[in-house]
């Protein structure tokens, strides 16, 4: 069988009735020993292939099974059945590669997410995950298009770094030293001067500090790369390895920062709505089918697509942290003791508090600003009240915090004083202080967790299901 293969997406977009086509793909379904639903990943839609096995070699029928890879040559005709406008009448059929149906771990039935995570080598072949990962691709493209079209420059920041941007201390260490024979200094501590980089280094938790260098030279930059947190967390919202989008802008204040965050997220949602309707429709129906099996109070107030449209069509609510605390203190869940975590000024908002503000109080995304300085990073600009900083978090339904950002502290004296209060040695960040000493300017930025955005767009219930190979405590397979 030799010809020029055509992708199924192109066949369905412009069907040439009566012409011969050559397709390759995986069997999504096979019924009545005659009808193959074929998919090659280029589109959500399958194409039906009608096969008369009496006209083909005798051993082929037994080899056509779920997810077998086949090549088909045949004539494209108008479909006589329901569910598709065109179909292919097979003239030649070939099994590509090795296929052992009895040993294949997936079967043509509903599989649990937990089982599919254990079979990551196959899960992208399912309808659910092929839809998720097409949307993930589209979202990544939309990120670059948004910033390129608005005059931002894409900046690659280091994955290995000696800086801890968050001050969290929960970082993966990078070293070439022999763990069985680690050199020690006079104090008995690890002598990192003998390590590859001559100092202690880690996998980055954020590219923000380096992005500030770019912003104070190029005006507007953004990073989009992997980040790492060594948190021993097994929740449905956390990964040890994930991707972050971090724009950084000179001459932006906190209000400009919030405006950009709202416009950016609405653009991303709109792009997916316009370019991936079939994938969204499938995921929307999947959620509705699952919720029919659940208690009514656990159902979403609206479907996936309606939720996405609602977010795009409405302004985000904007409140201060102090206003958020007062609203929560006067809420029924707090008065009835239904919140698991306490609410008091000075404590960080927990996910349950964030989601209540979004899903119950305002029923739309919320931007909370002006957090207490003691629960935020050293680099955030201090407000005139002496208690808060110009920080902002964007909270989304079903997700909680999607974006965290701030206006950066550009005043050298206030920055150094804050670093002293937080026991951050100036010598470790002398280059960062230089940005304030020489040609400094007001600037702002934020970080958007890419997987959390994919989670919101797809309606999946666990963040491990929107990244191809999740890294979590005890799990580094593939």
């Amino acid at each position: 069988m030799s010809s020029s293969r055509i992708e199924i997406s192109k066949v369905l977009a412009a069907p040439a009735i009566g012409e011969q086509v050559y397709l390759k793909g995986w069997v999504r379904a096979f019924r009545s020993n005659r009808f193959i639903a074929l998919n090659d990943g280029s589109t959500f839609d399958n194409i039906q292939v009608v096969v008369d096995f009496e006209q083909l070699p005798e051993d082929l029928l037994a080899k056509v099974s779920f997810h077998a890879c086949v090549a088909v040559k045949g004539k494209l005709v108008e479909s006589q059945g329901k569910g598709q406008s065109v179909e292919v009448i097979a003239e030649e059929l070939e099994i590509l590669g090795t296929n052992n149906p009895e040993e294949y771990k997936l079967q043509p039935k509903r599989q649990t997410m937990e089982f599919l995570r254990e079979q990551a080598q196959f899960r992208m072949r399912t309808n659910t995950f092929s839809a998720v990962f097409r949307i993930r691709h589209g979202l990544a493209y939309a990120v670059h298009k948004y910033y390129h079209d608005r005059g931002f420059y894409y900046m690659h920041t280091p994955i290995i770094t000696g800086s801890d941007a968050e001050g969290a201390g929960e970082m993966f260490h990078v070293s070439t030293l022999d763990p069985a024979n680690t050199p020690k200094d006079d104090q008995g501590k690890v002598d990192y001067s003998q390590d590859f980089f001559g100092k202690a280094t880690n996998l980055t938790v954020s590219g923000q500090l380096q992005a500030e260098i770019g912003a104070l030279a190029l005006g507007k930059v953004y990073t989009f790369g992997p980040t790492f947190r060594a948190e021993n967390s097994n929740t449905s919202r956390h990964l040890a390895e994930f991707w972050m989008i971090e724009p950084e802008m000179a001459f932006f204040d906190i209000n400009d920062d919030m405006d950009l965050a709202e416009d950016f997220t609405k653009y991303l949602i709109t792009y997916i709505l316009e370019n991936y309707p079939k994938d969204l429709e499938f995921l929307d129906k999947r959620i509705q089918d699952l919720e029919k099996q659940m208690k009514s109070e656990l159902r979403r107030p609206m479907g996936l697509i309606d939720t996405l449209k609602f977010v795009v069509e409405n302004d985000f609510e904007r409140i201060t942290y102090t206003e958020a605390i007062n609203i929560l203190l006067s809420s029924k869940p707090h008065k009835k003791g239904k919140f698991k975590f306490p609410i008091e000024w000075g404590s960080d908002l927990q996910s349950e508090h964030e989601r209540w503000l979004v899903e119950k109080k305002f029923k739309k995304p919320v931007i909370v600003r002006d957090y207490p300085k003691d629960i935020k990073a050293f680099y955030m600009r201090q407000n005139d009240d002496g208690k808060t900083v110009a920080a902002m978090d964007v909270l989304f339904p079903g997700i909680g915090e999607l974006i965290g950002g701030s206006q950066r502290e550009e005043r050298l004296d206030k920055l150094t004083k804050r670093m002293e209060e937080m026991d951050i040695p100036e010598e470790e960040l002398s280059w960062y202080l230089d940005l304030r000493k020489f040609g400094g300017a007001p600037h702002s930025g934020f970080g958007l967790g890419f997987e959390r955005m994919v989670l919101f767009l797809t309606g999946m219930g666990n963040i491990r299901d929107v990244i191809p190979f999740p890294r979590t405590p005890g799990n580094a397979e593939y």
Side-chain angles (χ1 to χ4, degrees):
M1 186 185 300
S2 62
S3 185
S4 178
R5 177 216 168 202
I6 184 171
E7 291 180 337
I8 292 173
S9 60
K10 295 178 180 178
V11 173
L12 297 178
I17 303 297
E19 292 192 6
Q20 191 176 71
V21 293
Y22 180 38
L23 308 175
K24 295 180 180 180
W26 294 271
V27 176
R28 284 283 174 84
F30 181 40
R31 57 188 179 85
S32 304
N33 285 347
R34 181 171 173 78
F35 302 102
I36 296 173
L38 193 67
N39 189 284
D40 63 3
S42 64
T43 176
F44 176 82
D45 293 314
N46 304 321
I47 192 167
Q48 179 163 283
V49 178
V50 183
V51 185
D52 183 356
F53 281 95
E54 292 183 359
Q55 304 299 318
L56 298 173
E58 293 181 2
D59 63 338
L60 274 180
L61 178 59
K63 296 180 180 179
V64 178
S65 59
F66 185 54
H67 286 173
C69 190
V70 303
V72 176
K73 182 183 287 186
K75 182 180 290 185
L76 188 68
V77 301
E78 292 183 2
S79 178
Q80 301 301 309
K82 296 180 180 180
Q84 63 277 328
S85 59
V86 295
E87 60 190 17
V88 176
I89 306 300
E91 299 167 358
E92 297 180 48
L93 179 71
E94 179 184 358
I95 303 294
L96 302 178
T98 303
N99 185 45
N100 299 306
E102 299 80 9
E103 299 178 17
Y104 188 51
K105 296 179 180 180
L106 301 190
Q107 298 300 319
K109 62 180 182 179
R110 185 182 294 277
Q111 309 282 357
T112 67
M113 294 295 104
E114 291 78 8
F115 174 75
L116 290 172
R117 282 179 215 132
E118 297 171 356
Q119 307 298 329
Q121 69 271 38
F122 299 130
R123 69 175 183 166
M124 288 189 196
R125 296 180 184 178
T126 66
N127 286 328
T128 296
F129 285 98
S130 61
V132 167
F133 291 117
R134 274 190 295 268
I135 288 174
R136 183 183 170 103
H137 158 79
L139 185 65
Y141 174 78
V143 168
H144 290 297
K145 179 171 174 55
Y146 178 88
Y147 287 118
H148 175 78
D149 291 349
R150 286 157 182 78
F152 283 70
Y153 295 102
Y154 181 32
M155 181 177 172
H156 296 120
T157 51
I159 292 175
I160 300 173
T161 178
S163 302
D164 179 359
E166 299 295 328
E170 297 171 326
M171 306 177 76
F172 290 101
H173 300 295
V174 176
S175 176
T176 59
L177 297 176
D178 182 357
N181 188 26
T182 306
K184 302 293 178 61
D185 59 20
D186 295 340
Q187 285 77 41
K189 297 180 180 179
V190 176
D191 185 4
Y192 286 108
S193 67
Q194 298 186 44
D195 207 349
F196 186 89
F197 293 106
K199 61 182 293 188
T201 54
N202 312 285
L203 295 179
T204 185
V205 299
S206 168
Q208 178 210 310
L209 300 188
Q210 293 87 353
E212 288 187 47
I213 295 174
L216 294 175
L218 300 174
K220 294 183 296 186
V221 301
Y222 73 103
T223 75
F224 186 1
T227 52
F228 308 85
R229 304 282 172 93
E231 298 177 5
N232 189 18
S233 175
N234 277 294
T235 76
S236 62
R237 296 290 183 270
H238 289 89
L239 292 165
E241 175 185 287
F242 55 99
W243 288 67
M244 285 282 287
I245 302 147
E246 297 177 288
E248 199 73 29
M249 299 75 60
F251 317 118
F252 271 48
D253 64 17
I254 188 65
N255 294 303
D256 300 321
D257 206 28
M258 292 189 291
D259 290 344
L260 182 71
E262 180 170 347
D263 187 66
F264 177 45
T265 50
K266 287 183 173 180
Y267 175 91
L268 296 180
I269 296 168
T270 300
Y271 184 88
I272 298 302
L273 282 168
E274 291 177 350
N275 291 278
Y276 294 85
K278 293 287 184 69
D279 294 299
L280 287 176
E281 288 167 8
F282 171 81
L283 294 171
D284 198 351
K285 185 177 184 304
R286 172 186 175 274
I287 293 169
Q288 293 175 31
D289 291 343
L290 288 173
E291 289 184 344
K292 288 178 182 178
Q293 308 169 21
M294 300 165 64
K295 295 179 180 179
S296 58
E297 62 266 22
L298 297 178
R299 294 185 181 182
R300 298 172 182 230
M302 60 180 74
L304 175 62
I305 294 175
D306 288 340
T307 299
L308 299 182
K309 290 179 178 178
F310 181 81
V311 169
V312 169
E313 293 167 359
N314 288 277
D315 293 336
F316 294 3
E317 189 72 28
R318 299 190 185 190
I319 59 175
T320 66
Y321 167 87
T322 301
E323 289 171 337
I325 291 294
N326 290 335
I327 291 170
L328 288 164
L329 287 172
S330 62
S331 68
K332 288 183 180 180
H334 173 67
K335 292 178 178 179
K336 293 182 178 181
K338 291 187 176 181
F339 285 132
K340 179 180 178 181
F341 294 94
I343 301 164
E344 59 181 355
W345 200 99
S347 297
D348 208 355
L349 298 179
Q350 300 297 318
S351 179
E352 62 176 347
H353 306 142
E354 295 170 340
R355 291 188 60 180
W356 183 86
L357 288 169
V358 172
E359 297 166 22
K360 302 298 182 182
K361 175 62 179 177
F362 295 108
K363 296 181 172 60
K364 60 180 177 178
V366 177
I367 304 179
V368 180
R369 61 174 290 177
D370 298 335
Y371 282 82
K373 68 177 184 179
D374 291 336
I375 61 173
K376 289 297 182 180
F378 74 94
Y379 51 74
M380 297 185 177
R381 195 179 200 275
Q382 299 169 55
N383 290 329
D384 294 338
D385 60 14
K387 299 187 300 180
T388 64
V389 290
M392 65 91 180
D393 287 345
V394 180
L395 314 178
F396 260 45
I399 301 294
E401 181 189 338
L402 179 72
I403 287 176
S406 72
Q407 185 171 340
R408 317 311 189 189
E409 183 58 82
E410 84 280 7
R411 298 164 295 186
L412 180 63
D413 57 337
K414 291 188 175 294
L415 180 59
T416 54
K417 183 179 179 181
R418 187 64 183 141
M419 290 173 65
E420 182 181 352
E421 292 172 355
M422 299 180 70
D423 295 322
I424 300 174
E426 289 187 22
E427 59 270 18
E428 289 188 6
L429 287 172
S430 59
W431 60 269
Y432 189 69
L433 295 176
D434 281 348
L435 295 175
R436 277 71 181 166
K437 292 179 182 178
F438 309 103
H443 59 289
S444 300
F446 61 77
L448 180 150
F450 185 64
E451 279 74 25
R452 290 195 177 189
M453 192 67 191
V454 181
L455 200 66
F456 177 71
L457 283 164
T458 60
M460 299 297 286
N462 194 310
I463 202 164
R464 303 178 191 201
D465 297 327
V466 298
I467 189 168
F469 309 106
R471 296 290 179 256
T472 54
N475 178 26
E477 298 296 324
Y478 305 97

